[in-house]
Amino acid sequence: DEPGYQPSIIHSRPLSLWYTHPRKYSFAYFYGSTNRRMTRNYRIHRQYFLEEVAMNWKKVDLIGGKPFILEKIGHDGGSESDIESGQHGEQTQKRYNQMKTYSQSVFCPTLPGDSPPQKRFFDVILAGCIPVVLVFNTNTKAANHLNSDGGRNDSERYGDFGKGDSKHNHTSWFSADSNGYTVQDSYPWAKHSSTLPPDREIDYESFVVQIYGGVKNIKPTLEALMANQTEILRRQLELGKVAKYFTYGAGENAHKYEDAFSIMLESVIYSLNSGKDYSG
């Protein structure tokens, strides 16, 4: 309910502001304490990422010419530096505003949590930060286009900037389980979900950065994107078009602008008119 993220403010914001807003960090990632649960659930990928940074990012200060934020969140909501003396990007003070940091960053990794999707994914969108996700395939028969190591060849991964395959309904940003956590099942009003008229569904892949082959490919993918400002601009514009659908209006003009509530009503009406049954 912060004023800056109200639908009225988002609607009044020129679309160009989504890419002209100054962003001094290449990416921002905040994380909590590691614990035993990480080895038994989907959070394990967060630990993998931290291990990748510790092992292979020791001399990395910049990504695409910009510093980055990689910090641990303390119990009081402030940050606890978990990085060795400036080797891994610019540090912030003990207490900070995470949303402000997101708004100053180009990319924001949103690695798997306890369930799909997660609040952080929508927070970064509202801040104008491009989400970065890991890609899994939930159907082994659809994995033929993948290399044996689960990754893609360089031309596919970087030349096409990781455009995904969710049109085949196999792509997940949560897990490789076969229990149906696809993008269509997990994210509201996603393209091919049949929850809205096709021209109203949200094409998340038009702006989300998809990482194939695991956390080792986060850095090279972001470096490739940082070298292509035209592609970053395109993604920021696509993100700006849909951000209003992830916040709720409050106050006297709450019903004047499109927001999450209005698109939910639109989805219900579409379901009733089309005779679709989503109860199961």
Side-chain angles (χ1 to χ4, degrees):
D1 61 351
E2 294 183 31
Y5 302 108
Q6 281 296 294
S8 57
I9 301 299
I10 294 177
H11 277 270
S12 65
R13 186 181 300 161
L15 194 57
S16 61
L17 192 60
W18 291 94
Y19 64 86
T20 58
H21 177 77
R23 298 183 185 273
K24 59 182 179 180
Y25 305 117
S26 55
F27 79 85
Y29 181 66
F30 302 115
Y31 60 96
S33 300
T34 57
N35 55 62
R36 295 178 182 176
R37 290 182 58 199
M38 280 192 170
T39 63
R40 299 194 300 271
N41 69 12
Y42 308 109
R43 289 173 175 259
I44 189 65
H45 297 283
R46 301 181 182 186
Q47 183 172 319
Y48 291 160
F49 179 49
L50 297 178
E51 291 172 353
E52 168 69 15
V53 170
M55 292 176 59
N56 301 315
W57 293 33
K58 290 184 178 180
K59 295 183 179 181
V60 177
D61 294 308
L62 305 172
I63 297 290
K66 289 180 180 290
F68 55 89
I69 297 293
L70 180 63
E71 289 192 357
K72 183 177 180 179
I73 301 173
H75 294 296
D76 60 355
S79 63
E80 299 175 4
S81 174
D82 202 39
I83 311 300
E84 294 180 6
S85 63
Q87 289 184 335
H88 301 303
E90 186 173 330
Q91 302 299 304
T92 60
Q93 297 179 354
K94 172 71 176 177
R95 300 189 64 84
Y96 56 85
N97 185 308
Q98 288 185 46
M99 288 297 286
K100 182 177 180 180
T101 304
Y102 289 149
S103 72
Q104 296 173 332
S105 306
V106 180
F107 300 107
C108 292
T110 58
L111 305 184
D114 294 324
S115 62
Q118 54 184 308
K119 180 178 180 294
R120 182 189 311 205
F121 180 85
F122 303 106
D123 283 345
V124 303
I125 289 176
L126 288 174
C129 191
I130 300 172
V132 179
V133 301
L134 298 178
V135 175
F136 308 92
N137 201 298
T138 61
N139 187 314
T140 54
K141 292 181 180 179
N144 295 330
H145 64 282
L146 296 174
N147 293 334
S148 59
D149 67 348
R152 297 192 164 199
N153 61 52
D154 287 346
S155 62
E156 286 180 295
R157 185 183 298 125
Y158 305 129
D160 206 21
F161 289 108
K163 291 183 179 179
D165 298 287
S166 67
K167 63 183 179 180
H168 301 302
N169 296 321
H170 300 303
T171 297
S172 172
W173 296 339
F174 179 65
S175 75
D177 293 352
S178 59
N179 52 7
Y181 291 126
T182 63
V183 174
Q184 290 77 17
D185 293 333
S186 306
Y187 291 82
W189 318 296
K191 190 174 180 181
H192 307 301
S193 66
S194 299
T195 52
L196 284 171
D199 63 336
R200 291 282 290 158
E201 290 177 332
I202 295 175
D203 184 4
Y204 289 95
E205 292 185 40
S206 68
F207 60 90
V208 172
V209 174
Q210 302 181 91
I211 305 295
Y212 293 86
V215 296
K216 67 181 183 296
N217 287 324
I218 290 179
K219 184 166 74 71
T221 301
L222 296 187
E223 286 176 333
L225 279 168
M226 288 295 291
N228 190 333
Q229 291 300 307
T230 300
E231 176 65 11
I232 290 177
L233 184 152
R234 185 195 66 77
R235 290 177 185 262
Q236 289 171 329
L237 286 176
E238 293 297 323
L239 182 153
K241 293 175 183 177
V242 300
K244 60 189 176 185
Y245 297 125
F246 306 124
T247 185
Y248 292 90
E252 296 180 356
N253 63 355
H255 301 96
K256 185 177 180 181
Y257 302 96
E258 284 187 308
D259 66 353
F261 184 69
S262 69
I263 198 172
M264 277 193 286
L265 291 180
E266 184 180 350
S267 182
V268 169
I269 294 172
Y270 177 71
S271 176
L272 293 173
N273 290 340
S274 61
K276 295 183 182 296
D277 181 8
Y278 296 105
S279 61

